[in-house]
Amino acid sequence: MRIIIHADDFGMTKSINGAIIELLKCKTLSSTSIMANMPFTQEAEKLLEIDDISLGLHSTFTQGKPVTDPAKVPSLVDSNGHFLSYDNLVQREKANKIVLADILTELESQYAKVKKIIGDKLVFIDSHHSIHNKLKTFREAFIQFGNKHQIKAIRNRRLLYLEMRNDKVRMVDPTIFKFPGYSLKNIATNYYYKYYSSQFEKHFKVPKGQLVVSKKDSIYLFEYVENLLNQNLNSEEVYYVVAHPATETSDLGNTNLLQQRVIEYKKLKSENFIKSVRKAPLINFNHL
């Protein structure tokens, strides 16, 4: 088994950038994606100094302002020219009021801005709040955009749940016929993501799936991943895990996760986690 540990949200704050850079150098992260419309996007140039990592565009449509003139992407913004909240974006998508051309216009602007900083190191795309996996118009736009720019990889969202059984971690792919302890919502959601992952596979390289836990506290996720790295699983299949680390909370404002980000940062820089990664080095999206 090969594992990518990927960090979202580079560029959002100093504390997030600092945590990601430190953990990439520790090799307990192997990948990050960059937000183009955030205050500290330019710090992505520091990522070029780190070997053997993958860098992507963390396209953003639910926070801040567009890189494009808001007047040119009217279906994506509110009356103040800011991106819609996630909930409002979903409502507008359901009402068929999101314009595909607006998404493509803003993707072009964000891609150009990040590519100007990191050049050909930009090898994959994903999105804040994973909207490219969730919303139809965004899926269509990302496929068109990826084909145009010959982007190698995309983050899919086929979910595989980690469970601890008899002191060992196993991966569970819940279905109606297997693992009945999972809710119908878990099962239906996973069928949904599996289907659209298969659509992305026609155009991009994608991992086998995203490793998650059903528990809300993400510290369990990285405890289970640590255990998994120590289990000597012989497989060439690639899975990925998403982290959202930050060194502190003082500059995070009203972003989600908050203290959870610091907990993840401390776990990923812990001596035990570093030892586990040395036993089973991480890979990145360049290796797909």
Side-chain angles (χ1 to χ4, degrees):
M1 176 184 298
R2 317 295 300 282
I3 294 179
I4 299 166
I5 302 185
H6 166 85
D8 279 345
D9 300 343
F10 192 94
M12 188 185 292
T13 72
K14 284 275 191 183
S15 66
I16 290 173
N17 286 6
I20 292 173
I21 290 170
E22 180 181 352
L23 295 171
L24 287 169
K25 289 179 177 179
C26 287
K27 303 301 181 184
T28 56
L29 286 179
S30 57
S31 176
T32 190
S33 48
I34 301 151
M35 303 174 84
N37 67 332
M38 289 290 127
F40 303 100
T41 301
Q42 191 62 39
E43 288 191 356
E45 61 191 11
K46 297 178 182 179
L47 299 170
L48 298 175
E49 303 168 4
I50 308 172
D51 294 330
D52 198 23
I53 61 173
S54 56
L55 302 178
L57 170 65
H58 193 53
S59 61
T60 308
F61 293 88
T62 53
Q63 186 171 341
K65 297 184 72 172
V67 175
T68 310
D69 178 351
K72 295 182 179 179
V73 289
S75 72
L76 303 177
V77 297
D78 62 20
S79 58
N80 296 314
H82 290 83
F83 282 129
L84 303 167
S85 68
Y86 174 78
D87 289 342
N88 287 337
L89 184 70
V90 170
Q91 289 175 6
R92 191 170 288 187
E93 168 77 1
K94 287 180 177 178
N96 295 315
K97 292 182 178 179
I98 298 295
V99 177
L100 179 67
D102 289 0
I103 301 172
L104 290 168
T105 296
E106 179 60 13
L107 270 174
E108 290 284 355
S109 296
Q110 293 189 22
Y111 180 77
K113 182 173 179 179
V114 172
K115 194 169 177 64
K116 185 176 181 181
I117 301 170
I118 64 172
D120 291 338
K121 296 289 187 180
L122 201 169
V123 296
F124 71 97
I125 52 176
D126 59 32
S127 63
H128 198 43
H129 296 138
S130 199
I131 58 173
H132 70 286
N133 283 297
K134 298 174 181 177
L135 304 180
K136 180 177 182 290
T137 311
F138 284 87
R139 283 193 296 270
E140 293 173 0
F142 274 66
I143 288 171
Q144 286 189 31
F145 183 80
N147 288 337
K148 176 183 176 181
H149 290 279
Q150 298 184 317
I151 294 169
K152 176 181 178 181
I154 197 168
R155 267 177 48 208
N156 58 339
R157 196 169 162 78
R158 179 179 179 235
L159 303 179
L160 292 155
Y161 290 84
L162 297 181
E163 287 186 350
M164 183 72 77
R165 295 287 176 90
N166 300 319
D167 297 324
K168 285 195 172 183
V169 172
R170 67 171 184 168
M171 291 186 296
V172 172
D173 183 2
T175 70
I176 294 171
F177 306 104
K178 292 167 60 181
F179 309 110
Y182 286 81
S183 70
L184 286 175
K185 182 179 180 181
N186 287 143
I187 294 167
T189 297
N190 217 25
Y191 275 119
Y192 177 86
Y193 287 139
K194 274 186 195 178
Y195 173 75
Y196 285 109
S197 179
S198 70
Q199 301 305 300
F200 282 136
E201 287 170 17
K202 298 174 183 177
H203 306 275
F204 302 93
K205 297 289 187 181
V206 300
K208 183 73 172 178
Q210 179 182 350
L211 303 180
V212 297
V213 290
S214 56
K215 299 177 181 180
K216 290 184 179 180
D217 190 342
S218 70
I219 191 63
Y220 288 102
L221 173 60
F222 293 102
E223 287 178 352
Y224 291 176
V225 169
E226 182 180 319
N227 190 298
L228 202 59
L229 290 168
N230 289 318
Q231 284 182 204
N232 191 29
L233 298 175
N234 294 317
S235 169
E236 290 302 307
E237 291 181 334
V238 176
Y239 300 87
Y240 79 96
V241 185
V242 179
H244 299 86
T247 56
E248 57 178 301
T249 61
S250 63
D251 64 348
L252 296 181
N254 62 352
T255 61
N256 61 349
L257 302 176
L258 290 178
Q259 192 61 41
Q260 198 75 12
R261 292 178 183 263
V262 178
I263 292 171
E264 289 186 14
Y265 163 68
K266 290 179 178 178
K267 178 63 180 177
L268 291 170
K269 68 177 289 190
S270 69
E271 184 177 345
N272 284 342
F273 203 90
I274 290 172
K275 286 180 179 177
S276 298
V277 167
R278 284 175 182 163
K279 291 179 185 176
L282 307 176
I283 64 164
N284 60 60
F285 286 95
N286 287 304
H287 299 133
L288 292 176

